[in-house]
Amino acid sequence: MAGSKHSSKETSDPKKGRIVIFSSVIVIVLVAAILVMIFSNQNREEAKPKKQPTHRTEQTARIDYQGQPYIGSSNAPVKVVEFSDYHCPYCKEFEETVIPKLNNDYVKTGKVSFYFINNTILGPGSVLAANAAEEVYHQNPKAFWAFHQAVFQAQKNEKEQWVSKKLLTDIAKKTVPSIDLKAFQNALDTKSRQNDVDKDNAMADSLGVPGTPYIFVGDKAVEEAQDYEVLKKAIDSALAANK
């Protein structure tokens, strides 16, 4: 029988085998190198001091006295602040019963400076009156208090919309003879002092003011300060702490 022929070699090519082995070694080395790099990076990251999640720290809000109407000496050792609304009957009561005592006992004696800041919580009339008062203050700071007191005196039932442009203009004419009526009426028509009012309201919000009138002695809120004896005690305590 004639011998059969084979189309392939019976034995493997040694050169080809060496190439396969060499390629496999290179792949293994590369994989090992990648793993080493990954492991090293992880170790470096773990070695770094990790930043703790930062949370917004609640800081005690502070009263910004700049640009606010006040009576008394700017150098008085204690500042008393009222957040108030011209439409609020309790604010009217505070103005008529507490402020005169505060003025006589502490402001005139140089112990306290008293600041008034808007907190317009009772609607459009409150906002309009606040704009009017801000315009008067910017025109004539000394005349502010006469206008301020007259607005409270004109106050009617809080359920009535008693604040009007005419009323405020009439009060301005009587209490501030030098008033620039054109600018004053523009403030009423366009609420050109609304930025100042908004700033006051934002401050009240940041301080957590719950209503009006609300009183601070220094940076400390005084609950029930409509009672003059309570307010007096808080002021005396602040004065003693400032000695």
Side-chain angles (χ1 to χ4, degrees):
M1 178 185 289
S4 60
K5 294 183 179 179
H6 297 279
S7 60
S8 61
K9 295 181 179 179
E10 292 290 339
T11 59
S12 299
D13 186 343
K15 185 177 180 181
K16 185 176 180 181
R18 285 196 296 272
I19 292 173
V20 171
I21 293 171
F22 182 71
S23 299
S24 299
V25 170
I26 291 175
V27 170
I28 292 170
V29 169
L30 288 173
V31 170
I34 292 170
L35 290 174
V36 168
M37 289 175 62
I38 292 172
F39 183 73
S40 297
N41 286 335
Q42 286 178 340
N43 284 343
R44 281 197 295 269
E45 289 298 319
E46 289 175 1
K48 290 180 182 178
K50 293 184 179 180
K51 292 183 179 180
Q52 296 299 321
T54 56
H55 300 283
R56 186 177 180 273
T57 303
E58 287 297 328
Q59 296 183 358
T60 304
R62 292 289 180 262
I63 296 171
D64 182 4
Y65 302 98
Q66 187 69 34
Q68 301 295 351
Y70 72 94
I71 54 175
S73 170
S74 60
N75 296 319
V78 172
K79 291 179 172 63
V80 175
V81 174
E82 177 193 6
F83 284 88
S84 183
D85 187 319
Y86 286 109
H87 213 276
C88 165
Y90 301 107
C91 298
K92 174 183 172 70
E93 182 180 352
F94 187 84
E95 175 69 29
E96 295 177 347
T97 62
V98 176
I99 296 301
K101 296 175 184 177
L102 177 68
N103 192 28
N104 287 329
D105 294 345
Y106 294 101
V107 176
K108 288 181 178 179
T109 58
K111 297 176 181 177
V112 161
S113 53
F114 173 75
Y115 290 75
F116 176 90
I117 301 179
N118 295 294
N119 189 22
T120 55
I121 60 174
L122 295 175
S126 303
V127 174
L128 185 62
N131 270 268
E134 287 288 346
E135 178 61 29
V136 170
Y137 176 72
H138 281 80
Q139 285 197 36
N140 189 340
K142 291 182 178 179
F144 168 84
W145 293 101
F147 178 84
H148 164 91
Q149 291 168 359
V151 174
F152 274 122
Q153 289 169 2
Q155 189 186 103
K156 296 180 182 178
N157 189 299
E158 65 177 315
K159 294 181 180 179
E160 295 181 37
Q161 292 300 321
W162 56 271
V163 178
S164 68
K165 294 178 183 179
K166 182 180 185 307
L167 172 67
L168 295 170
T169 301
D170 289 343
I171 292 174
K173 288 178 180 178
K174 291 177 183 178
T175 58
V176 193
S178 63
I179 192 80
D180 180 342
L181 275 177
K182 185 175 181 181
F184 181 79
Q185 290 171 338
N186 179 65
L188 299 182
D189 292 338
T190 67
K191 293 186 176 62
S192 60
R193 296 297 176 184
Q194 189 60 43
N195 284 342
D196 297 314
V197 177
D198 289 342
K199 178 183 174 183
D200 288 356
N201 289 334
M203 194 191 315
D205 288 343
S206 73
L207 291 162
V209 173
T212 55
Y214 202 71
I215 312 303
F216 285 81
V217 175
D219 288 327
K220 295 182 179 179
V222 181
E223 301 293 339
E224 305 299 329
Q226 295 93 322
D227 181 339
Y228 183 62
E229 291 305 315
V230 172
L231 178 58
K232 190 173 184 295
K233 183 177 179 180
I235 293 171
D236 289 341
S237 178
L239 286 169
N242 276 279
K243 285 184 178 180

